[in-house]
Amino acid sequence: MSSPPGPAYESDIAPTPREPRSDAPSSRSRRQMPSSGRPRGPPSVSTPGMHSDAPFAEDVPMRARRVVGGDIPKVVDTTGELLSARFEKFLEEFTEDPTPAMAPTSSAVTTNRYYIAQIHGLSQFQLSTIYVDYTHIMDHEDAGVLAGAIQGDFYRYHPYLLKALHNMIAKYEPQYFREHRQPGSTTNGTDTSLASNSISEEDEFHKKTPNQQTDKIFALAFYNLPLVSRVRQLRTGQIGKLVSMSGTVTRTSEVRPELHLATFICENCNNIIPDVEQIFKYSEPTQCVNQTCMNRSAWRLDIRQSTFIDWQKVRIQENSSEIPTGSMPRTMDVILRGEMVERAKAGEKCIFTGTLIVVPDVSQFRVPGSKVTAIRDTQTNRGGDAGGSGVGGLKALGVRDLTYRMAFLANMVTPDMSTQGQRSNQHLKGQAGNILTSLNQTIEMNDGTGDDAQQAYLDTLTPTEIEDLRKMVQMPNIFMRLVDSLAPTVYGHTVVKKGLLLQLMGGVSKVTPESMALRGDINICIVGDPSTSKSQFLKYICSFLPRAVYTSGKASSAAGLTAAVVKDEETGEFTIEAGALMLADNGICAIDEFDKMDIADQVAIHEAMEQQTISIAKAGIQATLNARTSILAAANPVGGRYNRKTTLRANINMSAPIMSRFDLFFVVLDECNEQVDEHLARHIVGLHQLKDEAIEPEFSTEQLQRYIRFARLFQPVFTDEARHTLVDRYRSLRSDDAQGGVGRNSYRITVRQLESLIRLSEAIAKATCVDQVTPEFVDEAYKLLKQSIISVEKDDVEFEDEVAATADDDDMADADGGADSDAEDAAPTPSARASATPAPARARTQIKYDDYIKMQNLLLSRVNNDRTAAEDGVEEEDLVTWYLEGVESELNSREEMEERRGLALKVLRKMVKTNVLLQIRGEGLADEEGEDGEREGDGRVMYVVHPNCAIDEL
């Protein structure tokens, strides 16, 4: 008699109720008689027990079963047995082409047979899952017959595939297979009798831990299927088939134990029914195998001898780029088991491989206080009113309630590295000696840094990709080359692209000895006029980075940005639904229209921007969640266009605390420049005409992504020279801020800007793939920060020819005041008035506002010092001479000195007009000897500080 078909058929060892009470040939034949090759029922049928022979035991009357004599013929799925043999041959014989990059990483791999090496790895690393590349099956000698059968009827053939796997593990790792014996498996390396096998089983059982649920359940995981479906494309026709689908994880449950194979004890006769398979619900045996007992309802679960496996439910949602216009995103529950649990985190784009199943939709007909059952509607009184009121509602028409829904039973989870707009596909290169790392099944790489993490990342690349990466690292001036390749469709804006590249690199996250986390992520805000490519930058970053979330400020609430507490419809418990910042963990959250956000919603992200955590205290849940994300915000100015005459704070609707949390502010202005406008127009027209051919960046998107992932693993440290340079640069920033006064710069320089300098310097070092931060990197970061700190621009200060105008006014005053003056003296008056009429034609002098403020402060400080010391004014000639002596080094000729002298006099007149200085002139001023200065032609002018002048503010 052939051996039972699969490892899942565990009840072959124990007698079943279908045995005849008499005429049993022998104990061995009686134990083997009910063996069945029939596979498990379809996914939608919840059949208790491991076997479902036809006819079912409960459907055959007792008398009819008793008169049946002889052996019941065993139903064998010959196709399944043949498939099992072919799959076993494939596992044993498949060899991969040796390549230089795939050198053995462990001593366990001593064979070129791919899956035999994996089986040896199971024993060495105490694993339980074999990862099967579907392309290997397609390229096998069977010309795809095996692959077609596995994909077309996966649920039917799954037990036979597991049987082949058990045979291989028992053949090549017998000790490991005996230590973790599969429940009820009859796979043996030698042909022993069943009795001796049961004795050895009993001996091994006592050697193992008494808790059976700690045993490993060997499993198969398939990857690299040729087609990756979307959630919206899954239909009932794919139930039971091997399918890959892509989606974004939005919620994960806790890991719970699932009852896989249950051992029951009969309450009446204490008989043991071992290994009853649970099919999507708690399934008890049909009846007791004791012919005198025939118990059908009184069962007790023996937890100690039952098998439990890890179980986790994951809620996935359609990828944002795949949602049709006007449609709500579809969701689906994915069931993960065994080693696949905790492989998918909230916010990740993943590709799940497995099969569709149908499960009862408990939430549709749950009524509090009642047991969930499906009942037939026997009310036939339809339209009983006089005249017939008709039928209202679909339920009254007899339409069945939809009490079933589809779920996805996954056996493999891999991260989806495709970006928005690209089609999801799998091209994983699994290496038998390093299978977990090569398939991205290890813990996320952001947790590990340094040489080990770099080597682990390089192990996932092909030799061609490694060589390409090496060439990029060794290129000169790689930083600017990367900047030029970033966002090639956007013309210009090199400074903004520098900031975006550094944001993609990020600084180095640190933890102090007091366990305080110092963030390494860089936050950037882009402010500017309309039509200056702000949203284009945000969209590009979201399409470039696999883990990026795009949201709009006005349409987002505080809970949608951080986290929401929702009630699970099945369990009734409160769970945390991840918001945009949590979904973008270890990525970038792009927030458009940041200035349109409500103040209350902006306050919600204060903690996430600096401490990088989200604290929640709602509905009995008190938690602190990670939100290690960089924020890229775009904002429009208040008046529609940026006003350079006011501060940045006045231009955008942001509070001071949130402004200080941004490392870089980029102000993008739409200025008219004929040459720039022409180049920009040619660029845009070329894009519309030639599309992708119009732009030729040096590096492709895939090359940039590989380089950035590699560069992020560096941990640069500051040299002593860079440390001193950093201190000097920060000191100069603070001194500039102090000189400018309150409101002169866009925002005050604080310690957060010092930390920004540190992060930017580290990011530049990462971009060049070096381990040390040098003073050159600090200077580059300083320039970038200086460019982002926009000084408030003032209009140029204009001076009329005030000296001449003053002389004319003096002549007019003399002519009017002197009653005895002659006609020659009065003649200049009308001519002066006539010459004063065309005032706009008078020559004007312009200087920069900053230069005017500098001269004003110098002259005011001299007058103020004299007031403090002598308490009298400073003569005009002495003040101008003192000023010229101070700027003597800047003057090269007599003409320049005369020009600067005239400018100083104009500044003094302007200061008098603006009530900064008070001018005292006339004949009543005493000279140094105390004599009256009433000599003819002596027009001495003295300056004192105006009483209304606020010296402290100036």
Side-chain angles (χ1 to χ4, degrees):
M1 209 174 204
S2 62
S3 61
Y9 300 139
E10 288 86 11
S11 48
D12 296 340
I13 302 173
T16 67
R18 288 187 291 272
E19 291 184 54
R21 183 174 293 185
S22 59
D23 302 329
S26 66
S27 63
R28 177 178 176 182
S29 63
R30 183 165 66 247
R31 295 167 78 109
Q32 288 188 345
M33 205 176 358
S35 301
S36 168
R38 174 174 177 173
R40 307 178 212 182
S44 57
V45 179
S46 298
T47 310
M50 281 297 298
H51 306 289
S52 51
D53 293 14
F56 290 98
E58 64 269 24
D59 297 336
V60 180
M62 286 296 297
R63 292 181 183 177
R65 284 188 292 164
R66 287 176 185 173
V67 285
V68 173
D71 288 344
I72 299 176
K74 186 175 70 170
V75 179
V76 179
D77 188 349
T78 54
T79 310
E81 294 286 353
L82 179 62
L83 188 87
S84 177
R86 286 198 176 187
F87 187 68
E88 188 174 329
K89 180 183 177 184
F90 160 76
L91 290 177
E92 190 168 15
E93 296 179 356
F94 182 82
T95 58
E96 65 175 342
D97 299 330
T99 57
M102 294 183 182
T105 56
S106 65
S107 58
V109 183
T110 56
T111 175
N112 63 343
R113 290 184 293 179
Y114 186 83
Y115 295 101
I116 302 305
Q118 274 201 53
I119 290 174
H120 292 317
L122 288 186
S123 174
Q124 181 183 7
F125 299 109
Q126 295 294 304
L127 303 174
S128 62
T129 304
I130 291 289
Y131 299 90
V132 180
D133 192 340
Y134 192 77
T135 56
H136 292 173
I137 306 177
M138 295 175 64
D139 298 338
H140 198 48
E141 59 187 18
D142 292 335
V145 176
L146 181 62
I150 291 176
Q151 186 172 13
D153 212 346
F154 174 75
Y155 199 88
R156 171 188 174 189
Y157 296 131
H158 186 240
Y160 298 100
L161 301 178
L162 284 178
K163 174 188 174 184
L165 174 64
H166 288 175
N167 288 338
M168 285 293 97
I169 298 176
K171 181 176 181 180
Y172 288 96
E173 289 290 341
Q175 180 64 30
Y176 186 67
F177 187 71
R178 283 197 297 269
E179 288 175 359
H180 303 283
R181 184 164 202 78
Q182 303 306 290
S185 173
T186 57
T187 307
N188 300 308
T190 57
D191 249 348
T192 58
S193 66
L194 202 67
S196 63
N197 187 26
S198 63
I199 294 173
S200 64
E201 278 183 7
E202 193 172 352
D203 293 340
E204 289 170 7
F205 175 77
H206 289 300
K207 290 179 184 176
K208 290 187 294 188
T209 170
N211 294 324
Q212 182 82 14
Q213 62 264 33
T214 59
D215 275 359
K216 290 180 170 59
I217 303 293
F218 294 124
L220 284 167
F222 293 88
Y223 64 96
N224 275 358
L225 263 69
L227 177 66
V228 178
S229 304
R230 300 177 179 179
V231 177
R232 195 174 288 268
Q233 296 172 340
L234 299 179
R235 298 288 182 268
T236 54
Q238 293 165 299
I239 293 176
K241 297 182 178 181
L242 188 63
V243 180
S244 284
M245 70 168 181
S246 174
T248 303
V249 180
T250 58
R251 191 193 308 175
T252 58
S253 73
E254 59 184 359
V255 178
R256 302 174 183 172
E258 180 192 17
L259 183 60
H260 181 56
L261 296 172
T263 298
F264 289 96
I265 299 176
C266 177
E267 294 276 11
N268 296 342
C269 64
N270 283 338
N271 197 7
I272 296 177
I273 312 294
D275 301 332
V276 178
E277 187 186 15
Q278 308 294 299
I279 305 180
F280 309 129
K281 71 172 188 176
Y282 182 68
S283 306
E284 294 181 339
T286 309
Q287 68 180 29
C288 182
V289 296
N290 189 346
Q291 296 292 334
T292 60
C293 175
M294 291 300 184
N295 168 42
R296 286 178 176 266
S297 59
W299 301 102
R300 184 174 76 252
L301 177 67
D302 187 356
I303 295 179
R304 197 182 135 219
Q305 296 191 31
S306 298
T307 303
F308 291 84
I309 57 175
D310 291 329
W311 178 95
Q312 186 182 30
K313 185 175 73 170
V314 172
R315 174 74 56 85
I316 69 165
Q317 180 179 297
E318 272 185 298
N319 296 324
S320 57
S321 59
E322 299 171 356
I323 303 173
T325 305
S327 300
M328 289 288 291
R330 301 278 173 88
T331 60
M332 180 171 285
D333 287 338
V334 178
I335 306 300
L336 304 177
R337 287 173 168 169
E339 290 183 351
M340 291 299 134
V341 298
E342 298 291 357
R343 293 275 171 90
K345 304 288 192 308
E348 290 181 347
K349 281 178 62 179
C350 295
I351 294 178
F352 299 89
T353 304
T355 182
L356 274 173
I357 58 175
V358 172
V359 293
D361 192 359
V362 179
S363 62
Q364 288 293 327
F365 49 89
R366 174 184 291 276
V367 178
S370 64
K371 187 178 179 181
V372 176
T373 55
I375 58 174
R376 185 187 299 272
D377 185 10
T378 57
Q379 297 178 357
T380 57
N381 184 17
R382 296 177 182 172
D385 299 339
S389 60
V391 176
L394 288 175
K395 188 175 292 187
L397 284 171
V399 180
R400 293 181 182 178
D401 295 337
L402 301 178
T403 54
Y404 289 88
R405 61 186 174 91
M406 284 197 297
F408 196 82
L409 188 62
N411 56 42
M412 180 65 173
V413 182
T414 55
D416 186 0
M417 291 303 176
S418 63
T419 55
Q420 288 186 7
Q422 294 181 349
R423 189 170 183 81
S424 298
N425 50 26
Q426 278 185 308
H427 298 294
L428 298 174
K429 301 289 188 295
Q431 303 169 20
N434 197 16
I435 190 69
L436 289 181
T437 304
S438 59
L439 294 181
N440 296 320
Q441 296 296 302
T442 53
I443 300 175
E444 54 190 14
M445 290 187 183
N446 295 317
D447 292 348
T449 49
D451 297 337
D452 296 339
Q454 292 171 17
Q455 186 58 46
Y457 174 60
L458 292 176
D459 289 341
T460 64
L461 302 178
T462 63
T464 309
E465 293 170 343
I466 293 176
E467 185 61 31
D468 183 42
L469 187 62
R470 181 178 291 111
K471 289 181 180 177
M472 290 179 66
V473 171
Q474 295 173 352
M475 281 183 180
N477 197 19
I478 182 63
F479 179 64
M480 289 308 299
R481 290 171 184 247
L482 294 172
V483 171
D484 294 337
S485 300
L486 204 66
T489 56
V490 180
Y491 177 78
H493 296 311
T494 307
V495 179
V496 181
K497 291 181 181 180
K498 277 185 184 178
L500 294 181
L501 177 64
L502 297 184
Q503 186 179 38
L504 290 170
M505 293 292 176
V508 179
S509 299
K510 308 175 187 70
V511 179
T512 63
E514 296 83 13
S515 301
M516 289 180 60
L518 302 177
R519 70 177 168 101
D521 296 303
I522 297 172
N523 300 323
I524 292 179
C525 183
I526 304 175
V527 184
D529 298 336
S531 76
T532 49
S533 309
K534 298 189 300 295
S535 297
Q536 289 293 327
F537 281 125
L538 268 63
K539 287 289 187 182
Y540 173 80
I541 291 297
C542 289
S543 64
F544 179 85
L545 206 63
R547 188 153 188 172
V549 176
Y550 180 89
T551 181
S552 178
K554 189 63 178 175
S556 302
S557 64
L561 284 173
T562 53
V565 176
V566 296
K567 195 171 187 177
D568 192 354
E569 65 271 9
E570 291 189 5
T571 61
E573 298 175 352
F574 286 102
T575 58
I576 293 176
E577 185 94 37
L581 293 174
M582 282 180 62
L583 294 179
D585 191 27
N586 290 314
I588 290 179
C589 180
I591 305 177
D592 206 354
E593 308 293 345
F594 195 76
D595 56 310
K596 309 295 191 305
M597 285 179 64
D598 295 334
I599 299 298
D601 297 337
Q602 285 187 7
V603 172
I605 66 174
H606 276 197
E607 181 188 3
M609 289 184 69
E610 189 62 38
Q611 281 75 36
Q612 297 203 307
T613 55
I614 294 172
S615 299
I616 283 184
K618 298 179 184 175
I621 296 177
Q622 292 184 351
T624 300
L625 311 168
N626 284 329
R628 296 160 296 185
T629 176
S630 302
I631 290 183
L632 176 60
N636 286 320
V638 171
R641 286 195 170 272
Y642 192 85
N643 184 7
R644 306 186 71 158
K645 308 291 178 56
T646 60
T647 62
L648 180 66
R649 172 85 182 278
N651 269 288
I652 52 177
N653 184 23
M654 277 192 213
S655 60
I658 209 164
M659 285 182 64
S660 68
R661 283 169 164 81
F662 281 106
D663 297 286
L664 292 175
F665 269 96
F666 291 117
V667 178
V668 186
L669 302 176
D670 184 17
E671 295 178 321
C672 294
N673 186 315
E674 185 177 350
Q675 189 176 7
V676 173
D677 292 344
E678 181 181 354
H679 286 299
L680 178 61
R682 290 182 184 276
H683 178 79
I684 293 176
V685 173
L687 278 178
H688 283 272
Q689 181 186 8
L690 304 174
K691 297 183 173 60
D692 290 344
E693 299 176 2
I695 50 176
E696 295 179 357
E698 185 174 0
F699 303 126
S700 65
T701 301
E702 290 77 14
Q703 288 176 305
L704 279 175
Q705 288 173 334
R706 279 198 300 269
Y707 185 90
I708 289 175
R709 285 195 67 191
F710 178 70
R712 283 176 64 93
L713 301 175
F714 280 85
Q715 296 279 295
V717 295
F718 279 86
T719 61
D720 291 338
E721 297 84 3
R723 198 151 46 89
H724 296 313
T725 307
L726 194 63
V727 173
D728 293 339
R729 292 289 178 262
Y730 175 67
R731 194 172 56 201
S732 64
L733 279 175
R734 287 285 287 185
S735 62
D736 291 348
D737 192 36
Q739 287 179 4
V742 179
R744 280 289 293 125
N745 287 333
S746 59
Y747 53 93
R748 297 303 305 269
I749 303 297
T750 63
V751 181
R752 282 189 174 143
Q753 274 63 52
L754 173 61
E755 293 184 340
S756 299
L757 269 178
I758 295 173
R759 283 190 286 269
L760 293 171
S761 305
E762 291 169 345
I764 295 173
K766 281 186 176 184
T768 51
C769 288
V770 295
D771 290 321
Q772 286 188 333
V773 181
T774 61
E776 291 79 17
F777 298 153
V778 177
D779 290 336
E780 181 71 28
Y782 173 75
K783 291 177 185 175
L784 201 60
L785 192 63
K786 282 286 286 183
Q787 286 174 322
S788 71
I789 299 175
I790 300 295
S791 296
V792 179
E793 292 195 356
K794 299 287 187 180
D795 288 335
D796 292 342
V797 180
E798 288 189 354
F799 303 101
E800 296 179 0
D801 198 356
E802 295 180 358
V803 176
T806 306
D808 295 341
D809 294 340
D810 293 343
D811 292 340
M812 287 187 290
D814 293 341
D816 294 337
D820 54 346
S821 58
D822 57 357
E824 286 89 6
D825 296 334
T829 304
S831 64
R833 287 174 179 165
S835 64
T837 303
R842 184 180 296 162
R844 295 172 179 267
T845 305
Q846 284 188 350
I847 64 170
K848 294 289 185 183
Y849 182 83
D850 290 340
D851 295 338
Y852 171 74
I853 292 296
K854 186 176 180 182
M855 291 181 66
Q856 172 183 284
N857 291 341
L858 277 174
L859 296 172
L860 179 63
S861 63
R862 172 73 174 85
V863 177
N864 187 45
N865 292 338
D866 184 82
R867 184 187 71 170
T868 307
E871 294 187 358
D872 59 353
V874 182
E875 191 174 346
E876 181 180 76
E877 192 62 34
D878 295 342
L879 191 59
V880 173
T881 305
W882 172 84
Y883 169 73
L884 290 176
E885 290 175 354
V887 296
E888 185 179 1
S889 59
E890 303 175 12
L891 306 176
N892 299 322
S893 63
R894 185 174 183 82
E895 289 77 12
E896 287 186 11
M897 188 189 72
E898 291 296 333
E899 184 181 347
R900 187 65 66 92
R901 176 187 177 86
L903 185 62
L905 291 173
K906 293 176 183 178
V907 170
L908 285 172
R909 303 290 191 276
K910 184 85 171 178
M911 294 171 68
V912 171
K913 282 187 176 181
T914 55
N915 292 336
V916 176
L917 294 179
L918 186 63
Q919 187 183 59
I920 302 175
R921 57 188 301 169
E923 291 75 12
L925 295 174
D927 57 11
E928 293 180 358
E929 285 79 13
E931 299 177 357
D932 286 342
E934 296 182 359
R935 294 185 298 272
E936 184 81 21
D938 187 9
R940 296 174 61 195
V941 178
M942 306 288 290
Y943 289 100
V944 295
V945 178
H946 198 282
N948 295 334
C949 175
I951 298 177
D952 295 338
E953 293 183 7
L954 294 175

